Amino acid sequence: MGQHPPSEKNGEGKHRDDRDVGDALRKAYDDTVGEAIPDSMLDLLKKLS
């Protein structure tokens, strides 16, 4: 009772969770950056400049 797996006992579990979150954020960022800019947005930007 009250025991944790060894990886969590010494703090490695938190580091793994942090790494998983970081990997998910990087993937979301990369996916977003890779998206094309819609023509309607480009048209709006042209009107504003």
Side-chain angles (χ1 to χ4, degrees), residues 16-37:
R16 187 176 346 108
D17 291 344
D18 290 347
R19 198 168 37 244
D20 291 345
V21 170
D23 289 345
L25 288 172
R26 273 187 288 284
K27 182 180 180 333
Y29 176 82
D30 289 341
D31 291 347
T32 301
V33 169
E35 290 182 9
I37 299 171

PDB file of all heavy atoms in Angstrom, residues 16-37:
ATOM      1  N   ARG A  16       9.128  11.581 -17.619  1.00  0.00           N
ATOM      2  CA  ARG A  16       8.549  10.916 -18.784  1.00  0.00           C
ATOM      3  C   ARG A  16       7.267  11.627 -19.188  1.00  0.00           C
ATOM      4  O   ARG A  16       7.029  11.857 -20.370  1.00  0.00           O
ATOM      5  CB  ARG A  16       8.277   9.443 -18.477  1.00  0.00           C
ATOM      6  CG  ARG A  16       7.828   8.664 -19.695  1.00  0.00           C
ATOM      7  CD  ARG A  16       7.636   7.164 -19.457  1.00  0.00           C
ATOM      8  NE  ARG A  16       8.186   6.630 -18.257  1.00  0.00           N
ATOM      9  CZ  ARG A  16       7.454   6.236 -17.192  1.00  0.00           C
ATOM     10  NH1 ARG A  16       6.158   6.348 -17.192  1.00  0.00           N
ATOM     11  NH2 ARG A  16       8.043   5.738 -16.127  1.00  0.00           N
ATOM     12  N   ASP A  17       6.438  11.978 -18.203  1.00  0.00           N
ATOM     13  CA  ASP A  17       5.201  12.694 -18.498  1.00  0.00           C
ATOM     14  C   ASP A  17       5.499  14.046 -19.131  1.00  0.00           C
ATOM     15  O   ASP A  17       4.850  14.456 -20.089  1.00  0.00           O
ATOM     16  CB  ASP A  17       4.379  12.907 -17.226  1.00  0.00           C
ATOM     17  CG  ASP A  17       3.799  11.609 -16.677  1.00  0.00           C
ATOM     18  OD1 ASP A  17       3.765  10.599 -17.410  1.00  0.00           O
ATOM     19  OD2 ASP A  17       3.392  11.612 -15.502  1.00  0.00           O
ATOM     20  N   ASP A  18       6.505  14.755 -18.609  1.00  0.00           N
ATOM     21  CA  ASP A  18       6.902  16.038 -19.186  1.00  0.00           C
ATOM     22  C   ASP A  18       7.349  15.863 -20.628  1.00  0.00           C
ATOM     23  O   ASP A  18       7.031  16.672 -21.499  1.00  0.00           O
ATOM     24  CB  ASP A  18       8.041  16.674 -18.378  1.00  0.00           C
ATOM     25  CG  ASP A  18       7.600  17.160 -17.005  1.00  0.00           C
ATOM     26  OD1 ASP A  18       6.374  17.242 -16.759  1.00  0.00           O
ATOM     27  OD2 ASP A  18       8.481  17.447 -16.178  1.00  0.00           O
ATOM     28  N   ARG A  19       8.099  14.818 -20.874  1.00  0.00           N
ATOM     29  CA  ARG A  19       8.590  14.546 -22.223  1.00  0.00           C
ATOM     30  C   ARG A  19       7.421  14.230 -23.156  1.00  0.00           C
ATOM     31  O   ARG A  19       7.384  14.703 -24.292  1.00  0.00           O
ATOM     32  CB  ARG A  19       9.587  13.386 -22.179  1.00  0.00           C
ATOM     33  CG  ARG A  19      10.457  13.277 -23.383  1.00  0.00           C
ATOM     34  CD  ARG A  19      11.626  12.318 -23.210  1.00  0.00           C
ATOM     35  NE  ARG A  19      11.333  11.131 -22.432  1.00  0.00           N
ATOM     36  CZ  ARG A  19      11.900  10.834 -21.262  1.00  0.00           C
ATOM     37  NH1 ARG A  19      12.786  11.634 -20.736  1.00  0.00           N
ATOM     38  NH2 ARG A  19      11.578   9.736 -20.622  1.00  0.00           N
ATOM     39  N   ASP A  20       6.433  13.467 -22.674  1.00  0.00           N
ATOM     40  CA  ASP A  20       5.257  13.145 -23.481  1.00  0.00           C
ATOM     41  C   ASP A  20       4.478  14.408 -23.831  1.00  0.00           C
ATOM     42  O   ASP A  20       4.039  14.571 -24.969  1.00  0.00           O
ATOM     43  CB  ASP A  20       4.340  12.161 -22.744  1.00  0.00           C
ATOM     44  CG  ASP A  20       4.948  10.770 -22.604  1.00  0.00           C
ATOM     45  OD1 ASP A  20       5.940  10.470 -23.318  1.00  0.00           O
ATOM     46  OD2 ASP A  20       4.435   9.993 -21.774  1.00  0.00           O
ATOM     47  N   VAL A  21       4.317  15.295 -22.865  1.00  0.00           N
ATOM     48  CA  VAL A  21       3.610  16.560 -23.112  1.00  0.00           C
ATOM     49  C   VAL A  21       4.397  17.395 -24.110  1.00  0.00           C
ATOM     50  O   VAL A  21       3.839  17.960 -25.054  1.00  0.00           O
ATOM     51  CB  VAL A  21       3.383  17.337 -21.798  1.00  0.00           C
ATOM     52  CG1 VAL A  21       2.881  18.739 -22.074  1.00  0.00           C
ATOM     53  CG2 VAL A  21       2.403  16.590 -20.905  1.00  0.00           C
ATOM     54  N   GLY A  22       5.706  17.471 -23.925  1.00  0.00           N
ATOM     55  CA  GLY A  22       6.550  18.230 -24.844  1.00  0.00           C
ATOM     56  C   GLY A  22       6.469  17.677 -26.258  1.00  0.00           C
ATOM     57  O   GLY A  22       6.373  18.446 -27.229  1.00  0.00           O
ATOM     58  N   ASP A  23       6.478  16.366 -26.388  1.00  0.00           N
ATOM     59  CA  ASP A  23       6.376  15.743 -27.716  1.00  0.00           C
ATOM     60  C   ASP A  23       5.031  16.067 -28.361  1.00  0.00           C
ATOM     61  O   ASP A  23       4.965  16.372 -29.552  1.00  0.00           O
ATOM     62  CB  ASP A  23       6.534  14.225 -27.614  1.00  0.00           C
ATOM     63  CG  ASP A  23       7.952  13.799 -27.276  1.00  0.00           C
ATOM     64  OD1 ASP A  23       8.886  14.635 -27.405  1.00  0.00           O
ATOM     65  OD2 ASP A  23       8.135  12.629 -26.875  1.00  0.00           O
ATOM     66  N   ALA A  24       3.961  16.026 -27.575  1.00  0.00           N
ATOM     67  CA  ALA A  24       2.626  16.332 -28.105  1.00  0.00           C
ATOM     68  C   ALA A  24       2.538  17.796 -28.541  1.00  0.00           C
ATOM     69  O   ALA A  24       1.956  18.101 -29.600  1.00  0.00           O
ATOM     70  CB  ALA A  24       1.551  16.025 -27.059  1.00  0.00           C
ATOM     71  N   LEU A  25       3.118  18.697 -27.761  1.00  0.00           N
ATOM     72  CA  LEU A  25       3.097  20.119 -28.132  1.00  0.00           C
ATOM     73  C   LEU A  25       3.910  20.370 -29.394  1.00  0.00           C
ATOM     74  O   LEU A  25       3.500  21.140 -30.266  1.00  0.00           O
ATOM     75  CB  LEU A  25       3.628  20.972 -26.982  1.00  0.00           C
ATOM     76  CG  LEU A  25       2.711  21.094 -25.773  1.00  0.00           C
ATOM     77  CD1 LEU A  25       3.440  21.789 -24.633  1.00  0.00           C
ATOM     78  CD2 LEU A  25       1.445  21.853 -26.137  1.00  0.00           C
ATOM     79  N   ARG A  26       5.078  19.731 -29.494  1.00  0.00           N
ATOM     80  CA  ARG A  26       5.892  19.889 -30.710  1.00  0.00           C
ATOM     81  C   ARG A  26       5.153  19.386 -31.934  1.00  0.00           C
ATOM     82  O   ARG A  26       5.177  20.009 -33.000  1.00  0.00           O
ATOM     83  CB  ARG A  26       7.228  19.162 -30.564  1.00  0.00           C
ATOM     84  CG  ARG A  26       8.303  20.007 -29.904  1.00  0.00           C
ATOM     85  CD  ARG A  26       9.653  19.320 -29.930  1.00  0.00           C
ATOM     86  NE  ARG A  26       9.725  18.197 -29.014  1.00  0.00           N
ATOM     87  CZ  ARG A  26       9.856  18.310 -27.702  1.00  0.00           C
ATOM     88  NH1 ARG A  26       9.937  19.496 -27.143  1.00  0.00           N
ATOM     89  NH2 ARG A  26       9.905  17.245 -26.939  1.00  0.00           N
ATOM     90  N   LYS A  27       4.462  18.256 -31.812  1.00  0.00           N
ATOM     91  CA  LYS A  27       3.715  17.706 -32.945  1.00  0.00           C
ATOM     92  C   LYS A  27       2.575  18.641 -33.339  1.00  0.00           C
ATOM     93  O   LYS A  27       2.365  18.902 -34.532  1.00  0.00           O
ATOM     94  CB  LYS A  27       3.158  16.325 -32.615  1.00  0.00           C
ATOM     95  CG  LYS A  27       2.424  15.715 -33.798  1.00  0.00           C
ATOM     96  CD  LYS A  27       1.868  14.359 -33.481  1.00  0.00           C
ATOM     97  CE  LYS A  27       1.139  13.705 -34.624  1.00  0.00           C
ATOM     98  NZ  LYS A  27       0.537  14.549 -35.618  1.00  0.00           N
ATOM     99  N   ALA A  28       1.854  19.167 -32.364  1.00  0.00           N
ATOM    100  CA  ALA A  28       0.758  20.092 -32.663  1.00  0.00           C
ATOM    101  C   ALA A  28       1.293  21.345 -33.356  1.00  0.00           C
ATOM    102  O   ALA A  28       0.703  21.840 -34.316  1.00  0.00           O
ATOM    103  CB  ALA A  28       0.015  20.469 -31.381  1.00  0.00           C
ATOM    104  N   TYR A  29       2.427  21.869 -32.876  1.00  0.00           N
ATOM    105  CA  TYR A  29       3.037  23.051 -33.486  1.00  0.00           C
ATOM    106  C   TYR A  29       3.457  22.747 -34.925  1.00  0.00           C
ATOM    107  O   TYR A  29       3.152  23.502 -35.846  1.00  0.00           O
ATOM    108  CB  TYR A  29       4.248  23.503 -32.671  1.00  0.00           C
ATOM    109  CG  TYR A  29       4.990  24.656 -33.302  1.00  0.00           C
ATOM    110  CD1 TYR A  29       4.539  25.960 -33.139  1.00  0.00           C
ATOM    111  CD2 TYR A  29       6.128  24.438 -34.079  1.00  0.00           C
ATOM    112  CE1 TYR A  29       5.208  27.019 -33.732  1.00  0.00           C
ATOM    113  CE2 TYR A  29       6.798  25.488 -34.673  1.00  0.00           C
ATOM    114  CZ  TYR A  29       6.336  26.774 -34.497  1.00  0.00           C
ATOM    115  OH  TYR A  29       6.991  27.811 -35.091  1.00  0.00           O
ATOM    116  N   ASP A  30       4.146  21.625 -35.116  1.00  0.00           N
ATOM    117  CA  ASP A  30       4.604  21.258 -36.454  1.00  0.00           C
ATOM    118  C   ASP A  30       3.435  21.066 -37.413  1.00  0.00           C
ATOM    119  O   ASP A  30       3.502  21.484 -38.574  1.00  0.00           O
ATOM    120  CB  ASP A  30       5.449  19.985 -36.408  1.00  0.00           C
ATOM    121  CG  ASP A  30       6.806  20.203 -35.752  1.00  0.00           C
ATOM    122  OD1 ASP A  30       7.249  21.372 -35.656  1.00  0.00           O
ATOM    123  OD2 ASP A  30       7.416  19.197 -35.329  1.00  0.00           O
ATOM    124  N   ASP A  31       2.356  20.442 -36.941  1.00  0.00           N
ATOM    125  CA  ASP A  31       1.168  20.253 -37.775  1.00  0.00           C
ATOM    126  C   ASP A  31       0.561  21.597 -38.169  1.00  0.00           C
ATOM    127  O   ASP A  31       0.152  21.801 -39.308  1.00  0.00           O
ATOM    128  CB  ASP A  31       0.113  19.408 -37.051  1.00  0.00           C
ATOM    129  CG  ASP A  31       0.534  17.953 -36.886  1.00  0.00           C
ATOM    130  OD1 ASP A  31       1.524  17.531 -37.531  1.00  0.00           O
ATOM    131  OD2 ASP A  31      -0.123  17.233 -36.101  1.00  0.00           O
ATOM    132  N   THR A  32       0.518  22.531 -37.222  1.00  0.00           N
ATOM    133  CA  THR A  32      -0.064  23.851 -37.473  1.00  0.00           C
ATOM    134  C   THR A  32       0.788  24.641 -38.455  1.00  0.00           C
ATOM    135  O   THR A  32       0.271  25.251 -39.396  1.00  0.00           O
ATOM    136  CB  THR A  32      -0.216  24.637 -36.161  1.00  0.00           C
ATOM    137  OG1 THR A  32      -1.046  23.882 -35.277  1.00  0.00           O
ATOM    138  CG2 THR A  32      -0.846  25.999 -36.392  1.00  0.00           C
ATOM    139  N   VAL A  33       2.098  24.622 -38.262  1.00  0.00           N
ATOM    140  CA  VAL A  33       3.005  25.355 -39.144  1.00  0.00           C
ATOM    141  C   VAL A  33       2.931  24.792 -40.564  1.00  0.00           C
ATOM    142  O   VAL A  33       3.040  25.536 -41.538  1.00  0.00           O
ATOM    143  CB  VAL A  33       4.451  25.299 -38.599  1.00  0.00           C
ATOM    144  CG1 VAL A  33       5.464  25.801 -39.610  1.00  0.00           C
ATOM    145  CG2 VAL A  33       4.541  26.108 -37.317  1.00  0.00           C
ATOM    146  N   GLY A  34       2.699  23.498 -40.686  1.00  0.00           N
ATOM    147  CA  GLY A  34       2.649  22.851 -41.987  1.00  0.00           C
ATOM    148  C   GLY A  34       1.357  23.084 -42.758  1.00  0.00           C
ATOM    149  O   GLY A  34       1.281  22.746 -43.942  1.00  0.00           O
ATOM    150  N   GLU A  35       0.353  23.659 -42.120  1.00  0.00           N
ATOM    151  CA  GLU A  35      -0.922  23.895 -42.806  1.00  0.00           C
ATOM    152  C   GLU A  35      -0.796  25.052 -43.790  1.00  0.00           C
ATOM    153  O   GLU A  35      -0.074  26.013 -43.563  1.00  0.00           O
ATOM    154  CB  GLU A  35      -2.018  24.235 -41.794  1.00  0.00           C
ATOM    155  CG  GLU A  35      -2.438  23.070 -40.939  1.00  0.00           C
ATOM    156  CD  GLU A  35      -3.562  23.428 -39.988  1.00  0.00           C
ATOM    157  OE1 GLU A  35      -4.128  24.527 -40.105  1.00  0.00           O
ATOM    158  OE2 GLU A  35      -3.860  22.604 -39.126  1.00  0.00           O
ATOM    159  N   ALA A  36      -1.543  24.943 -44.872  1.00  0.00           N
ATOM    160  CA  ALA A  36      -1.570  26.014 -45.865  1.00  0.00           C
ATOM    161  C   ALA A  36      -2.411  27.175 -45.344  1.00  0.00           C
ATOM    162  O   ALA A  36      -3.348  26.982 -44.565  1.00  0.00           O
ATOM    163  CB  ALA A  36      -2.157  25.487 -47.167  1.00  0.00           C
ATOM    164  N   ILE A  37      -2.044  28.381 -45.777  1.00  0.00           N
ATOM    165  CA  ILE A  37      -2.827  29.558 -45.408  1.00  0.00           C
ATOM    166  C   ILE A  37      -4.004  29.656 -46.397  1.00  0.00           C
ATOM    167  O   ILE A  37      -3.784  29.656 -47.606  1.00  0.00           O
ATOM    168  CB  ILE A  37      -1.975  30.837 -45.464  1.00  0.00           C
ATOM    169  CG1 ILE A  37      -0.808  30.717 -44.481  1.00  0.00           C
ATOM    170  CG2 ILE A  37      -2.814  32.068 -45.167  1.00  0.00           C
ATOM    171  CD1 ILE A  37       0.212  31.826 -44.597  1.00  0.00           C
TER     172      ILE A  37
END
